[in-house]
Amino acid sequence: FEGDPAFTVVSETCYQYRSTEDPDDSDAFVVQVTWPSGYPETDLPEVSLDCFRNRNMPEVLKRHILDQIKAEVCQEPGLALT
């Protein structure tokens, strides 16, 4: 993801990705992914939309996005997908 303006390294195990490269896009949202210590062997990544950028996003939309992401993650347990 190096050089991708939508990608941010928060820490060694936490990353954020904006849904669009345009930071001024009002429809853009940020997904935060954290790799727990057991990832990918025993733990799934933690996915969150609780970022400041998403503060005005309706909860029903957040839930829908998270459900879609988690459905993908759960299809391949034990496989590093992020």
Side-chain angles (χ1 to χ4, degrees):
F1 295 99
E2 192 171 309
D4 185 341
F7 181 75
T8 303
V9 176
V10 177
S11 73
E12 196 172 287
T13 59
C14 183
Y15 304 89
Q16 291 182 344
Y17 199 80
R18 193 174 54 247
S19 63
T20 177
E21 290 184 14
D22 180 2
D24 297 324
D25 184 344
S26 63
D27 291 331
F29 59 91
V30 174
V31 176
Q32 182 167 300
V33 178
T34 304
W35 298 339
S37 61
Y39 177 79
E41 291 82 19
T42 58
D43 295 324
L44 296 176
E46 298 165 7
V47 181
S48 171
L49 292 173
D50 294 333
C51 302
F52 182 76
R53 170 80 172 150
N54 303 333
R55 68 191 179 281
N56 294 323
M57 180 185 288
E59 286 300 318
V60 68
L61 179 56
K62 284 183 186 179
R63 177 61 28 217
H64 175 74
I65 293 169
L66 287 172
D67 287 347
Q68 296 299 309
I69 293 171
K70 289 178 181 179
E72 288 296 317
V73 169
C74 289
Q75 287 185 16
E76 300 292 339
L79 182 64
L81 297 174
T82 54

